[in-house]
Amino acid sequence: MKQIVLLIALSVMGMLVNAQYITNNGFENWTASDPDDWHSPNSLTSPFGVTTVSKETVDVYSGLNSAKLETKSVLGTPIPGILTNGTITINPPYLIGGTPFTQKPGVFKGYYKYTPATGDNCFLDVLLLKWNINTNQQDTIGYAQFTNLATVSTWTMFQANFTYNSIDNPDTMQIALISSNPNAAVTGSILLVDELSLEGGTLGLNKYYLLKNISIFPNPATNIINIKFSSETKYETAVSLYSLVGQKVKAFTLPKGIELSSLNINDISKGMYFILIQSGKEKIIQKISIIQ
């Protein structure tokens, strides 16, 4: 009996660890019209009185909320509901960037419901990318893609295995959830998504834990970023700044035994960045705005 309880506990712990690789993976936290740490076309379509992504509070797989993506007409053009941890550009319409990520999972999983318009299909995929300093663009290290064109009226698990094109590790993960075929969207398709996760592969082989009791300020920052630890660090600390497209723009190494460090960012252009702080087996990733 004790062995069964232990196996169940380890299984639950594994699911929790895997879920942490995707921030706000259950879409529980929302600010305004988008789930926290996700982006949608809402800011582009709302001037026309249209929102394609919304918080669903009744039809959920678990927790209090799920994400509802709908393909709607804007000035006669079908615009799919899209959620991404990257950035949506207008001209040309494109997804760029993502969040810092350096491992090679085996499977992309989650739960969904889908009501397609005639001839339409949904897309749920992950790209693992790495910045190429020679071409000044991102290379695709691996990907996982799930697509479906049938009606799914009850919450169902989807699963997509990763395919890898390179022996390199990625530096960025880009997730895209789309209610329609992006090349042939049809108005009326509805996709509900909840509880995303990554499993298998190299996840957990180099396991990291959340770096707690740390303050990063000010945010927005101008010339200086301060990093304050709750006690003296036991290891050297690596601090990296990444652009939203995954390019490392600045790196610092802090000696062990410090509690407060001030980093000069005078040479960094204004904009949004990810700051990655890693000390021993602990790390934290946070968005930060620089306003010069």
PDB file of all heavy atoms in Angstrom, residues 126-147:
ATOM      1  N   VAL A 126       4.516  23.429 -30.982  1.00  0.00           N
ATOM      2  CA  VAL A 126       5.659  23.988 -30.269  1.00  0.00           C
ATOM      3  C   VAL A 126       6.858  23.974 -31.207  1.00  0.00           C
ATOM      4  O   VAL A 126       7.133  22.959 -31.855  1.00  0.00           O
ATOM      5  CB  VAL A 126       6.012  23.173 -29.007  1.00  0.00           C
ATOM      6  CG1 VAL A 126       7.240  23.763 -28.317  1.00  0.00           C
ATOM      7  CG2 VAL A 126       4.843  23.124 -28.047  1.00  0.00           C
ATOM      8  N   LEU A 127       7.550  25.103 -31.299  1.00  0.00           N
ATOM      9  CA  LEU A 127       8.828  25.175 -31.996  1.00  0.00           C
ATOM     10  C   LEU A 127       9.930  25.383 -30.970  1.00  0.00           C
ATOM     11  O   LEU A 127       9.802  26.224 -30.073  1.00  0.00           O
ATOM     12  CB  LEU A 127       8.849  26.340 -32.991  1.00  0.00           C
ATOM     13  CG  LEU A 127       7.972  26.243 -34.237  1.00  0.00           C
ATOM     14  CD1 LEU A 127       8.115  27.511 -35.067  1.00  0.00           C
ATOM     15  CD2 LEU A 127       8.332  25.026 -35.069  1.00  0.00           C
ATOM     16  N   LEU A 128      11.009  24.632 -31.088  1.00  0.00           N
ATOM     17  CA  LEU A 128      12.198  24.830 -30.264  1.00  0.00           C
ATOM     18  C   LEU A 128      13.262  25.458 -31.153  1.00  0.00           C
ATOM     19  O   LEU A 128      13.651  24.881 -32.176  1.00  0.00           O
ATOM     20  CB  LEU A 128      12.675  23.503 -29.680  1.00  0.00           C
ATOM     21  CG  LEU A 128      11.652  22.805 -28.777  1.00  0.00           C
ATOM     22  CD1 LEU A 128      12.202  21.480 -28.275  1.00  0.00           C
ATOM     23  CD2 LEU A 128      11.247  23.692 -27.606  1.00  0.00           C
ATOM     24  N   LEU A 129      13.714  26.642 -30.784  1.00  0.00           N
ATOM     25  CA  LEU A 129      14.533  27.477 -31.654  1.00  0.00           C
ATOM     26  C   LEU A 129      15.884  27.786 -31.020  1.00  0.00           C
ATOM     27  O   LEU A 129      16.049  27.709 -29.802  1.00  0.00           O
ATOM     28  CB  LEU A 129      13.800  28.789 -31.949  1.00  0.00           C
ATOM     29  CG  LEU A 129      12.358  28.658 -32.452  1.00  0.00           C
ATOM     30  CD1 LEU A 129      11.651  30.003 -32.421  1.00  0.00           C
ATOM     31  CD2 LEU A 129      12.335  28.075 -33.858  1.00  0.00           C
ATOM     32  N   LYS A 130      16.839  28.160 -31.868  1.00  0.00           N
ATOM     33  CA  LYS A 130      18.153  28.591 -31.381  1.00  0.00           C
ATOM     34  C   LYS A 130      18.658  29.722 -32.262  1.00  0.00           C
ATOM     35  O   LYS A 130      18.619  29.631 -33.491  1.00  0.00           O
ATOM     36  CB  LYS A 130      19.153  27.431 -31.398  1.00  0.00           C
ATOM     37  CG  LYS A 130      20.521  27.810 -30.819  1.00  0.00           C
ATOM     38  CD  LYS A 130      21.450  26.615 -30.752  1.00  0.00           C
ATOM     39  CE  LYS A 130      22.777  26.998 -30.100  1.00  0.00           C
ATOM     40  NZ  LYS A 130      23.691  25.833 -30.007  1.00  0.00           N
ATOM     41  N   TRP A 131      19.148  30.779 -31.615  1.00  0.00           N
ATOM     42  CA  TRP A 131      19.640  31.931 -32.357  1.00  0.00           C
ATOM     43  C   TRP A 131      20.950  31.588 -33.064  1.00  0.00           C
ATOM     44  O   TRP A 131      21.877  31.052 -32.463  1.00  0.00           O
ATOM     45  CB  TRP A 131      19.846  33.120 -31.425  1.00  0.00           C
ATOM     46  CG  TRP A 131      20.164  34.381 -32.172  1.00  0.00           C
ATOM     47  CD1 TRP A 131      21.383  34.929 -32.396  1.00  0.00           C
ATOM     48  CD2 TRP A 131      19.219  35.236 -32.823  1.00  0.00           C
ATOM     49  NE1 TRP A 131      21.265  36.072 -33.135  1.00  0.00           N
ATOM     50  CE2 TRP A 131      19.951  36.291 -33.418  1.00  0.00           C
ATOM     51  CE3 TRP A 131      17.833  35.213 -32.955  1.00  0.00           C
ATOM     52  CZ2 TRP A 131      19.334  37.312 -34.129  1.00  0.00           C
ATOM     53  CZ3 TRP A 131      17.219  36.235 -33.659  1.00  0.00           C
ATOM     54  CH2 TRP A 131      17.967  37.271 -34.240  1.00  0.00           C
ATOM     55  N   ASN A 132      20.996  31.883 -34.366  1.00  0.00           N
ATOM     56  CA  ASN A 132      22.176  31.621 -35.183  1.00  0.00           C
ATOM     57  C   ASN A 132      22.912  32.942 -35.386  1.00  0.00           C
ATOM     58  O   ASN A 132      22.409  33.843 -36.065  1.00  0.00           O
ATOM     59  CB  ASN A 132      21.757  31.021 -36.529  1.00  0.00           C
ATOM     60  CG  ASN A 132      22.933  30.568 -37.363  1.00  0.00           C
ATOM     61  OD1 ASN A 132      23.981  31.201 -37.387  1.00  0.00           O
ATOM     62  ND2 ASN A 132      22.752  29.456 -38.071  1.00  0.00           N
ATOM     63  N   ILE A 133      24.103  33.064 -34.792  1.00  0.00           N
ATOM     64  CA  ILE A 133      24.828  34.335 -34.859  1.00  0.00           C
ATOM     65  C   ILE A 133      25.371  34.602 -36.255  1.00  0.00           C
ATOM     66  O   ILE A 133      25.708  35.740 -36.593  1.00  0.00           O
ATOM     67  CB  ILE A 133      25.980  34.371 -33.834  1.00  0.00           C
ATOM     68  CG1 ILE A 133      26.977  33.241 -34.100  1.00  0.00           C
ATOM     69  CG2 ILE A 133      25.443  34.300 -32.414  1.00  0.00           C
ATOM     70  CD1 ILE A 133      28.216  33.303 -33.211  1.00  0.00           C
ATOM     71  N   ASN A 134      25.466  33.568 -37.088  1.00  0.00           N
ATOM     72  CA  ASN A 134      25.987  33.753 -38.444  1.00  0.00           C
ATOM     73  C   ASN A 134      24.927  34.295 -39.395  1.00  0.00           C
ATOM     74  O   ASN A 134      25.206  35.147 -40.239  1.00  0.00           O
ATOM     75  CB  ASN A 134      26.545  32.430 -38.979  1.00  0.00           C
ATOM     76  CG  ASN A 134      27.736  31.940 -38.183  1.00  0.00           C
ATOM     77  OD1 ASN A 134      28.628  32.717 -37.845  1.00  0.00           O
ATOM     78  ND2 ASN A 134      27.751  30.652 -37.871  1.00  0.00           N
ATOM     79  N   THR A 135      23.698  33.797 -39.254  1.00  0.00           N
ATOM     80  CA  THR A 135      22.612  34.250 -40.133  1.00  0.00           C
ATOM     81  C   THR A 135      21.753  35.324 -39.483  1.00  0.00           C
ATOM     82  O   THR A 135      20.890  35.904 -40.132  1.00  0.00           O
ATOM     83  CB  THR A 135      21.713  33.065 -40.522  1.00  0.00           C
ATOM     84  OG1 THR A 135      21.118  32.518 -39.331  1.00  0.00           O
ATOM     85  CG2 THR A 135      22.521  31.981 -41.224  1.00  0.00           C
ATOM     86  N   ASN A 136      21.977  35.568 -38.178  1.00  0.00           N
ATOM     87  CA  ASN A 136      21.211  36.565 -37.428  1.00  0.00           C
ATOM     88  C   ASN A 136      19.714  36.259 -37.451  1.00  0.00           C
ATOM     89  O   ASN A 136      18.876  37.154 -37.580  1.00  0.00           O
ATOM     90  CB  ASN A 136      21.463  37.971 -37.974  1.00  0.00           C
ATOM     91  CG  ASN A 136      21.289  39.029 -36.898  1.00  0.00           C
ATOM     92  OD1 ASN A 136      21.582  38.790 -35.727  1.00  0.00           O
ATOM     93  ND2 ASN A 136      20.800  40.192 -37.279  1.00  0.00           N
ATOM     94  N   GLN A 137      19.391  34.976 -37.309  1.00  0.00           N
ATOM     95  CA  GLN A 137      18.000  34.558 -37.223  1.00  0.00           C
ATOM     96  C   GLN A 137      17.920  33.260 -36.423  1.00  0.00           C
ATOM     97  O   GLN A 137      18.944  32.687 -36.041  1.00  0.00           O
ATOM     98  CB  GLN A 137      17.397  34.353 -38.609  1.00  0.00           C
ATOM     99  CG  GLN A 137      18.061  33.256 -39.422  1.00  0.00           C
ATOM    100  CD  GLN A 137      17.469  33.133 -40.816  1.00  0.00           C
ATOM    101  OE1 GLN A 137      16.725  33.992 -41.271  1.00  0.00           O
ATOM    102  NE2 GLN A 137      17.795  32.057 -41.502  1.00  0.00           N
ATOM    103  N   GLN A 138      16.696  32.813 -36.166  1.00  0.00           N
ATOM    104  CA  GLN A 138      16.508  31.610 -35.369  1.00  0.00           C
ATOM    105  C   GLN A 138      16.439  30.369 -36.247  1.00  0.00           C
ATOM    106  O   GLN A 138      15.736  30.351 -37.260  1.00  0.00           O
ATOM    107  CB  GLN A 138      15.231  31.718 -34.536  1.00  0.00           C
ATOM    108  CG  GLN A 138      15.333  32.713 -33.386  1.00  0.00           C
ATOM    109  CD  GLN A 138      14.022  32.856 -32.643  1.00  0.00           C
ATOM    110  OE1 GLN A 138      12.989  33.050 -33.254  1.00  0.00           O
ATOM    111  NE2 GLN A 138      14.065  32.774 -31.324  1.00  0.00           N
ATOM    112  N   ASP A 139      17.177  29.329 -35.858  1.00  0.00           N
ATOM    113  CA  ASP A 139      17.084  28.024 -36.498  1.00  0.00           C
ATOM    114  C   ASP A 139      16.098  27.159 -35.718  1.00  0.00           C
ATOM    115  O   ASP A 139      15.992  27.270 -34.490  1.00  0.00           O
ATOM    116  CB  ASP A 139      18.441  27.323 -36.518  1.00  0.00           C
ATOM    117  CG  ASP A 139      19.454  28.033 -37.405  1.00  0.00           C
ATOM    118  OD1 ASP A 139      19.023  28.765 -38.318  1.00  0.00           O
ATOM    119  OD2 ASP A 139      20.662  27.854 -37.173  1.00  0.00           O
ATOM    120  N   THR A 140      15.386  26.279 -36.418  1.00  0.00           N
ATOM    121  CA  THR A 140      14.478  25.347 -35.762  1.00  0.00           C
ATOM    122  C   THR A 140      15.247  24.095 -35.356  1.00  0.00           C
ATOM    123  O   THR A 140      15.776  23.375 -36.199  1.00  0.00           O
ATOM    124  CB  THR A 140      13.309  24.966 -36.691  1.00  0.00           C
ATOM    125  OG1 THR A 140      12.570  26.145 -37.029  1.00  0.00           O
ATOM    126  CG2 THR A 140      12.379  23.979 -36.008  1.00  0.00           C
ATOM    127  N   ILE A 141      15.313  23.851 -34.042  1.00  0.00           N
ATOM    128  CA  ILE A 141      15.996  22.670 -33.513  1.00  0.00           C
ATOM    129  C   ILE A 141      15.051  21.473 -33.495  1.00  0.00           C
ATOM    130  O   ILE A 141      15.440  20.339 -33.765  1.00  0.00           O
ATOM    131  CB  ILE A 141      16.529  22.948 -32.094  1.00  0.00           C
ATOM    132  CG1 ILE A 141      17.485  24.148 -32.113  1.00  0.00           C
ATOM    133  CG2 ILE A 141      17.208  21.720 -31.511  1.00  0.00           C
ATOM    134  CD1 ILE A 141      18.698  23.961 -32.992  1.00  0.00           C
ATOM    135  N   GLY A 142      13.791  21.723 -33.162  1.00  0.00           N
ATOM    136  CA  GLY A 142      12.802  20.654 -33.116  1.00  0.00           C
ATOM    137  C   GLY A 142      11.401  21.223 -33.068  1.00  0.00           C
ATOM    138  O   GLY A 142      11.209  22.429 -32.880  1.00  0.00           O
ATOM    139  N   TYR A 143      10.414  20.345 -33.238  1.00  0.00           N
ATOM    140  CA  TYR A 143       9.027  20.809 -33.229  1.00  0.00           C
ATOM    141  C   TYR A 143       8.096  19.663 -32.863  1.00  0.00           C
ATOM    142  O   TYR A 143       8.422  18.478 -33.008  1.00  0.00           O
ATOM    143  CB  TYR A 143       8.630  21.374 -34.598  1.00  0.00           C
ATOM    144  CG  TYR A 143       8.633  20.340 -35.709  1.00  0.00           C
ATOM    145  CD1 TYR A 143       7.485  19.625 -36.035  1.00  0.00           C
ATOM    146  CD2 TYR A 143       9.805  20.064 -36.412  1.00  0.00           C
ATOM    147  CE1 TYR A 143       7.500  18.669 -37.036  1.00  0.00           C
ATOM    148  CE2 TYR A 143       9.830  19.107 -37.415  1.00  0.00           C
ATOM    149  CZ  TYR A 143       8.672  18.412 -37.722  1.00  0.00           C
ATOM    150  OH  TYR A 143       8.688  17.456 -38.704  1.00  0.00           O
ATOM    151  N   ALA A 144       6.911  20.035 -32.372  1.00  0.00           N
ATOM    152  CA  ALA A 144       5.815  19.091 -32.137  1.00  0.00           C
ATOM    153  C   ALA A 144       4.542  19.773 -32.610  1.00  0.00           C
ATOM    154  O   ALA A 144       4.302  20.936 -32.275  1.00  0.00           O
ATOM    155  CB  ALA A 144       5.708  18.731 -30.661  1.00  0.00           C
ATOM    156  N   GLN A 145       3.735  19.063 -33.388  1.00  0.00           N
ATOM    157  CA  GLN A 145       2.525  19.679 -33.943  1.00  0.00           C
ATOM    158  C   GLN A 145       1.357  18.710 -33.884  1.00  0.00           C
ATOM    159  O   GLN A 145       1.479  17.544 -34.250  1.00  0.00           O
ATOM    160  CB  GLN A 145       2.755  20.109 -35.386  1.00  0.00           C
ATOM    161  CG  GLN A 145       1.561  20.838 -35.995  1.00  0.00           C
ATOM    162  CD  GLN A 145       1.819  21.269 -37.430  1.00  0.00           C
ATOM    163  OE1 GLN A 145       1.574  20.521 -38.362  1.00  0.00           O
ATOM    164  NE2 GLN A 145       2.327  22.484 -37.592  1.00  0.00           N
ATOM    165  N   PHE A 146       0.228  19.246 -33.413  1.00  0.00           N
ATOM    166  CA  PHE A 146      -1.015  18.479 -33.393  1.00  0.00           C
ATOM    167  C   PHE A 146      -2.057  19.255 -34.182  1.00  0.00           C
ATOM    168  O   PHE A 146      -2.199  20.470 -34.022  1.00  0.00           O
ATOM    169  CB  PHE A 146      -1.504  18.287 -31.955  1.00  0.00           C
ATOM    170  CG  PHE A 146      -2.838  17.595 -31.856  1.00  0.00           C
ATOM    171  CD1 PHE A 146      -2.921  16.215 -31.872  1.00  0.00           C
ATOM    172  CD2 PHE A 146      -4.012  18.330 -31.760  1.00  0.00           C
ATOM    173  CE1 PHE A 146      -4.152  15.568 -31.787  1.00  0.00           C
ATOM    174  CE2 PHE A 146      -5.249  17.707 -31.676  1.00  0.00           C
ATOM    175  CZ  PHE A 146      -5.317  16.319 -31.686  1.00  0.00           C
ATOM    176  N   THR A 147      -2.789  18.556 -35.043  1.00  0.00           N
ATOM    177  CA  THR A 147      -3.862  19.195 -35.802  1.00  0.00           C
ATOM    178  C   THR A 147      -5.074  18.272 -35.831  1.00  0.00           C
ATOM    179  O   THR A 147      -4.931  17.045 -35.758  1.00  0.00           O
ATOM    180  CB  THR A 147      -3.408  19.539 -37.235  1.00  0.00           C
ATOM    181  OG1 THR A 147      -4.458  20.248 -37.913  1.00  0.00           O
ATOM    182  CG2 THR A 147      -3.049  18.287 -38.017  1.00  0.00           C
TER     183      THR A 147
END
